Amino acid sequence: MVGIEGAGLSGLGAGGVLGAGARAQYAAMAQLRWNMFSHSLHSSKGALELGARTVANLLYAAMGVAIGLGAGAGSYLIASNNAWQYVPIVFWAMCFLWQMVPIMLASFQEQFDLGILLRFPVLFGSYFLLYVVSGLVDISTILGGLCSVGILVGVTMARPDLFGWTLLGLAVFAAFNILLVRAIFAWIDRWLAQRRTREILGAIFMVMILSLQLLNPALHQRRHAGRNGQPAQRESVKQQTEELKARYGPWLQAANQVQSWLPPGLAARALRQAAAGEQSGNGAVPALGSLSVLGMYTLAAGGALAARLKSEYRGENLGQAPSRKKVDKRDRGWLPNAAGPVAAVIEKELRSLLRTMPVLYALGMPVVMVFFFSAMFHNGTSRSLHPQLQIALPIGVAYALLGFTQLFYNNLGAEGAGIQLYFLSPTPIRSVMLAKNLFHSALFLFDALVAGFVVSFRIGVPNNQVIAATAAWLLFALPSNLAVGNIFSVTMPYRVNPGRMARQRGSQANALLSLLVQLGILGIGVAVFALCTFAQALWLAIPIFLALAAGAIVAWLRVLTNIDGMANQRRDSLMATLMKMG
Amino acid sequence: METAAIQTHGLTRRFGALTAVEDVTLSVAPGQFFGFLGPNGAGKSTTIKMLTGLLEPSAGTIEILGLPFGASALELKRQIGVVPEGMALMGRLTAPEYLRFVGRMYGLDGATTNRRTAELLEFMDLANESRKLVVDFSHGMQKKLAMAAAVIHGPKVLFLDEPFEGVDAIAAGMLKAMLTGMINRGATIFLTTHVLEIVERLCSHVAIISKGRLVANGSLEELRSGVASTLPGTEQEQRLTLEEIFLSIVGADGGHEPAQELTWLA
């Protein structure tokens, strides 16, 4: 903020939002954001950490590019087939991404509050401009930009004559989205600053993800039945579809009319009108009309943003949520108050878990996914299982194991300053780790059992050898994970804010190595299963896994025996890492 | 000869090239209210961390109630209570849950833990907040909870790192009364704080650390007369406050080079 303060108070107002003083403030702001960004890349864990983070960022970038390619491919198909009635879907999807993703991501991360600028002598115009410009580096704008480029390329490849109209329409639509998302943020950012609100939004986000994931297998099943099912089944699906059309057709038509007057519909309509006009030679006027209405929406979004920022600028705080009333009810414990530190840690872990939506989601998600995926292989009422589907049980159980990676490999991460208590109290760290391992194992076994039941119920019950071999593999996989997880938890911990889902700084090395260990354990399982199946002696997998399990249990006990020494040796860095601010 | 409650010899801690605490030798008698003072970064928190087993000394020895850290660490931890710099709280628990957790970690039985939890919450004026998560507490409330957790097992020696920071005047008065009661019942308290008025009122003995080295150690009267003897006027004329003693010993600049005056400030 040196630039802001050093800009010279007398010159700040002169020249307006583009004057020398304002420009110095923009430069200071840019410097601040750059410093924050570059500090976020610094790592005390060295090259491995930086490498792991780079890999993760590349993956995110690839996901963004994939979304852009999807938008491009969709647009190309629509334009080349002259199927313009579907183009609103592309714009609505883009608008949804643009508006919802940042709000939902905000539930997992602290917001950079531009309100700090109001301490300084900043012009309102400059404040507005900074607020809008700072949004350009948000993930929403990047995603929206990639989608826009995809649409532009897709449409132009199919219809080069529409390049100008597509560019113009996308530009206005992008301006609308940028202003709208910033306006929404401006109104709810203080609300988001509250932990509980972030968690509620996080929960809504999870429900939405679950709903979307439910949609795919449901459609898949319906499509599968419609195309490949028995003739009677196909006829039934066709009949149901006709009934749905008859019942909801008028509603859909009305909804289509309404959406065509909303911003994504207007952008789509402009493109459609331009496409028709290029062919007939008189489409410019209607297309310009649609874009003008879209422009008015853009101005309205800008106005809403300006109104909110003006209030903030004057010192009002309209968006602040009222503080919650005090709760006078006494706590009524519902867990048995068992004595002893191991029971105390287990109870504390359970209570914390039940209050931590993102962790519950991470644990429950694999089971839900097993449920959805198993729908693709749903066997109807038949209880017989195809030989190739025998492996569904071990796959389902192994998938459930993945949800526990963070708990196993960073089991102290959520303690924060509470880690000090473990070193201050007369309880050995061994007891703390034992309690955590027992609790996490119980959770995992519950998850694995549910996954097993789901697979058996949806696909069919595998034979006894598969069940026994899967159980034997679990006896190997679980203590292996616990043993390595305890070591990683002490040697390369990272701080986890239990209210957030996003990983914290310093987590990538642990994440990468723990993934490698998990893959190793899964690989051993796959190799043994494959070899024994190939040799037509699946029973052999059981003693092999049991022998490996014996070794894993010994290793886990040895780690527990030595964990006090390891933890005490590293207590300084352990506490510094887990208590780190920000 | 009575065993010291806290005894250190040549206590040293280095972080790479930096020596945070150097050759600190001090003795705190049982029942003493001991104030440990120093400017920011002088080594107070590092010393407390070493005394409570949170940090391994690079050199020197520590004995608490005659027991050395190491083989007796667990037995020793049962005897001490600590409000550490980071407060050691667990945000996802409510205050009663946290206190019950701490009580059980210190080996108290369920009934005792529950009784003391209720009494401490009442005493600390936190009983009405029993459904609120600790993460939602104000800083002052968190300090009070950390204090409650530090004493729930009835420690013989209590280490307090800035316990009054962010605590309002009413709560501070309540805490002072509790600490005085503990001293009257034979406990030993080792306190670091920047509020010199509290040290002056509560502590019988004071040590001052500056740049990692112990620069003064003794009763308040001993320090007062020691400093007064270096100043003009007789001892009777010099009724020095602890702030004056402190500034006289560490220097008004805290041992640092005097900064250039900011002449551009109005």
Side-chain angles (χ1 to χ4, degrees):
Chain A
M1 287 298 162
V2 172
I4 286 178
E5 288 171 338
L9 288 172
S10 58
L12 275 171
V17 296
L18 295 176
R23 287 204 307 273
Q25 292 175 332
Y26 303 149
M29 191 65 198
Q31 180 72 48
L32 174 74
R33 294 307 297 261
W34 170 252
N35 288 343
M36 287 169 70
F37 173 71
S38 59
H39 291 325
S40 76
L41 294 178
H42 291 170
S43 165
S44 56
K45 300 281 193 299
L48 178 66
E49 186 60 39
L50 192 61
R53 200 171 291 164
T54 307
V55 170
N57 286 333
L58 283 174
L59 278 175
Y60 299 145
M63 283 164 62
V65 171
I67 291 173
L69 284 174
S75 308
Y76 175 78
L77 286 174
I78 288 170
S80 56
N81 293 315
N82 217 22
W84 294 104
Q85 69 271 26
Y86 296 119
V87 82
I89 296 172
V90 178
F91 279 93
W92 274 103
M94 187 163 119
C95 186
F96 179 81
L97 263 182
W98 214 316
Q99 303 304 321
M100 296 308 290
V101 167
I103 294 170
M104 293 311 175
L105 283 181
S107 64
F108 301 125
Q109 60 197 14
E110 302 292 344
Q111 296 300 299
F112 176 71
D113 186 5
L114 279 165
I116 61 162
L117 292 176
L118 296 177
R119 288 163 50 204
F120 305 109
V122 177
L123 293 169
F124 173 70
S126 300
Y127 182 51
F128 183 86
L129 200 60
L130 281 169
Y131 203 91
V132 173
V133 170
S134 71
L136 296 181
V137 291
D138 277 359
I139 192 159
S140 60
T141 316
I142 295 167
L143 274 178
L146 286 168
C147 282
S148 301
V149 170
I151 293 171
L152 184 65
V153 172
V155 172
T156 309
M157 277 174 70
R159 293 278 304 272
D161 54 316
L162 289 179
F163 173 79
W165 281 109
T166 313
L167 185 64
L168 183 63
L170 284 169
V172 181
F173 189 56
F176 164 76
N177 275 297
I178 290 168
L179 288 172
L180 182 66
V181 78
R182 299 310 287 164
I184 292 172
F185 257 93
W187 282 97
I188 66 170
D189 59 354
R190 292 195 186 280
W191 190 49
L192 278 174
Q194 296 189 3
R195 176 187 59 81
R196 194 163 287 263
T197 312
R198 285 203 304 274
E199 288 181 2
I200 289 169
L201 282 175
I204 294 170
F205 185 49
M206 288 162 201
V207 170
M208 280 173 51
I209 286 177
L210 286 177
S211 308
L212 286 173
Q213 281 162 348
L214 181 63
L215 208 60
N216 181 41
L219 290 174
H220 179 90
Q221 251 185 323
R222 190 171 182 79
R223 203 167 48 238
H224 180 79
R227 286 179 183 168
N228 308 324
Q230 300 293 322
Q233 204 177 1
R234 284 209 302 268
E235 191 56 38
S236 166
V237 169
K238 199 175 167 185
Q239 200 175 347
Q240 283 174 12
T241 309
E242 289 304 320
E243 279 173 16
L244 286 173
K245 273 184 187 169
R247 191 182 302 168
Y248 298 112
W251 290 96
L252 284 173
Q253 278 177 357
N256 191 34
Q257 285 293 321
V258 172
Q259 73 81 27
S260 70
W261 285 98
L262 295 174
L266 284 165
R269 195 166 69 175
L271 198 54
R272 191 177 176 177
Q273 288 164 332
E278 289 295 329
Q279 283 170 341
S280 65
N282 58 355
V285 173
L288 277 177
S290 296
L291 286 180
S292 301
V293 182
L294 180 59
M296 285 159 69
Y297 272 108
T298 307
L299 288 176
L305 174 62
R308 177 68 190 99
L309 294 186
K310 193 81 183 172
S311 301
E312 261 185 25
Y313 191 73
R314 288 178 183 143
E316 294 168 26
N317 198 5
L318 301 178
Q320 193 150 35
S323 60
R324 284 180 294 135
K325 287 179 182 172
K326 283 184 179 177
V327 181
D328 289 331
K329 287 178 189 170
R330 294 297 178 95
D331 175 56
R332 293 183 188 87
W334 48 271
L335 284 169
N337 197 8
V342 173
V345 174
I346 289 175
E347 181 181 331
K348 174 244 159 196
E349 290 287 313
L350 180 56
R351 286 187 188 279
S352 301
L353 176 75
L354 293 176
R355 291 165 183 155
T356 312
M357 187 62 78
V359 180
L360 278 176
Y361 168 76
L363 299 185
M365 194 61 202
V367 175
V368 177
M369 293 299 286
V370 167
F371 180 80
F372 291 150
F373 280 128
S374 61
M376 295 179 189
F377 305 100
H378 190 31
N379 211 15
T381 52
S382 168
R383 306 315 301 156
S384 64
L385 189 55
H386 191 279
Q388 286 178 336
L389 293 179
Q390 292 285 347
I391 58 163
L393 176 70
I395 288 176
V397 170
Y399 191 62
L401 186 66
L402 290 179
F404 285 76
T405 306
Q406 187 172 314
L407 276 187
F408 286 155
Y409 289 83
N410 187 36
N411 62 27
L412 296 169
E415 300 293 354
I419 186 69
Q420 289 180 312
L421 183 71
Y422 294 137
F423 287 104
L424 289 171
S425 77
T427 300
I429 299 295
R430 181 173 61 245
S431 304
V432 175
M433 287 296 198
L434 175 66
K436 283 175 177 273
N437 287 172
L438 291 176
F439 178 67
H440 295 158
S441 300
L443 277 181
F444 168 66
L445 289 176
F446 176 75
D447 247 23
L449 269 176
V450 174
F453 276 122
V454 165
V455 168
S456 304
F457 179 71
R458 304 279 284 178
I459 300 177
V461 182
N463 66 43
N464 290 340
Q465 279 186 1
V466 172
I467 294 173
T470 306
W473 176 77
L474 269 184
L475 284 176
F476 154 66
L478 188 56
S480 302
N481 269 293
L482 295 176
V484 184
N486 286 345
I487 295 172
F488 279 25
S489 299
V490 169
T491 53
M492 53 177 100
Y494 55 93
R495 187 178 175 180
V496 171
N497 183 334
R500 299 189 216 164
M501 181 155 281
R503 284 177 179 275
Q504 317 294 308
R505 286 187 68 202
S507 66
Q508 299 291 353
N510 181 308
L512 197 66
L513 289 174
S514 58
L515 191 67
L516 288 176
V517 176
Q518 286 275 35
L519 287 176
I521 292 168
L522 290 175
I524 290 172
V526 170
V528 172
F529 258 104
L531 285 173
C532 294
T533 307
F534 181 72
Q536 294 189 320
L538 190 59
W539 62 268
L540 196 57
I542 301 165
I544 293 174
F545 282 137
L546 286 178
L548 288 170
I553 290 169
V554 170
W556 173 58
L557 292 173
R558 281 193 68 111
V559 169
L560 273 184
T561 309
N562 297 321
I563 202 75
D564 273 279
M566 288 171 67
N568 277 313
Q569 261 181 356
R570 292 168 178 80
R571 62 192 155 182
D572 196 18
S573 63
L574 196 59
M575 282 186 280
T577 303
L578 298 183
M579 294 169 66
K580 193 160 53 182
M581 301 287 285
Chain B
M1 185 181 156
E2 195 179 22
T3 307
I6 302 165
Q7 179 77 58
T8 70
H9 283 290
L11 195 61
T12 301
R13 174 68 202 201
R14 296 183 202 93
F15 296 98
L18 173 78
T19 303
V21 174
E22 188 174 4
D23 197 25
V24 168
T25 298
L26 56 82
S27 179
V28 180
Q32 218 168 64
F33 206 134
F34 192 86
F36 194 58
L37 307 178
N40 289 332
K44 300 186 298 294
S45 291
T46 305
T47 305
I48 271 207
K49 281 180 186 168
M50 287 192 284
L51 292 176
T52 54
L54 289 178
L55 196 62
E56 184 85 28
S58 305
T61 60
I62 301 168
E63 283 186 12
I64 310 286
L65 300 169
L67 297 169
F69 258 111
S72 321
L74 294 188
E75 177 51 34
L76 216 156
K77 287 176 180 179
R78 284 193 187 93
Q79 311 289 333
I80 66 174
V82 187
V83 176
E85 198 177 16
M87 292 193 275
L89 299 176
M90 290 172 169
R92 296 268 148 178
L93 300 181
T94 63
E97 288 166 1
Y98 177 66
L99 289 181
R100 281 201 289 269
F101 173 70
V102 174
R104 289 156 74 188
M105 293 297 282
Y106 276 94
L108 297 182
D109 61 73
T112 310
T113 303
N114 287 341
R115 194 184 67 247
R116 290 186 184 178
T117 294
E119 288 173 3
L120 281 166
L121 288 175
E122 202 64 50
F123 184 84
M124 298 288 180
D125 198 23
L126 293 172
N128 288 337
E129 307 288 351
S130 61
R131 294 289 291 268
K132 205 173 189 176
L133 294 188
V134 172
V135 72
D136 293 328
F137 274 18
S138 69
H139 185 73
M141 288 160 72
Q142 289 184 344
K143 277 280 178 188
K144 289 196 283 185
L145 182 62
M147 179 71 91
V151 299
I152 192 167
H153 58 295
K156 290 180 182 162
V157 181
L158 186 60
F159 292 91
L160 307 172
D161 195 348
E162 296 289 353
F164 298 101
E165 186 192 34
V167 176
D168 63 43
I170 300 166
M174 202 168 64
L175 292 180
K176 280 186 264 186
M178 186 187 85
L179 296 176
T180 309
M182 284 181 72
I183 288 290
N184 293 338
R185 288 186 289 276
T188 307
I189 296 176
F190 188 96
L191 166 77
T192 76
T193 177
H194 289 293
V195 188
L196 299 181
E197 172 267 330
I198 288 176
V199 177
E200 194 162 19
R201 189 179 295 177
L202 295 178
C203 296
S204 53
H205 286 71
V206 173
I208 297 174
I209 188 171
S210 178
K211 293 181 182 173
R213 298 188 73 96
L214 209 58
V215 290
N217 186 8
S219 70
L220 210 50
E221 282 312 312
E222 285 169 349
L223 294 189
R224 189 170 279 132
S225 59
V227 170
S229 64
T230 65
L231 298 173
T234 64
E235 210 171 293
Q236 285 71 30
E237 287 164 343
Q238 296 282 350
R239 186 64 194 170
L240 297 169
T241 64
L242 182 58
E243 185 179 350
E244 288 166 327
I245 296 170
F246 179 79
L247 292 177
S248 171
I249 290 172
V250 301
D253 50 16
H256 301 288
E257 289 295 314
Q260 193 183 350
E261 196 184 349
L262 305 176
T263 51
W264 49 268
L265 277 175

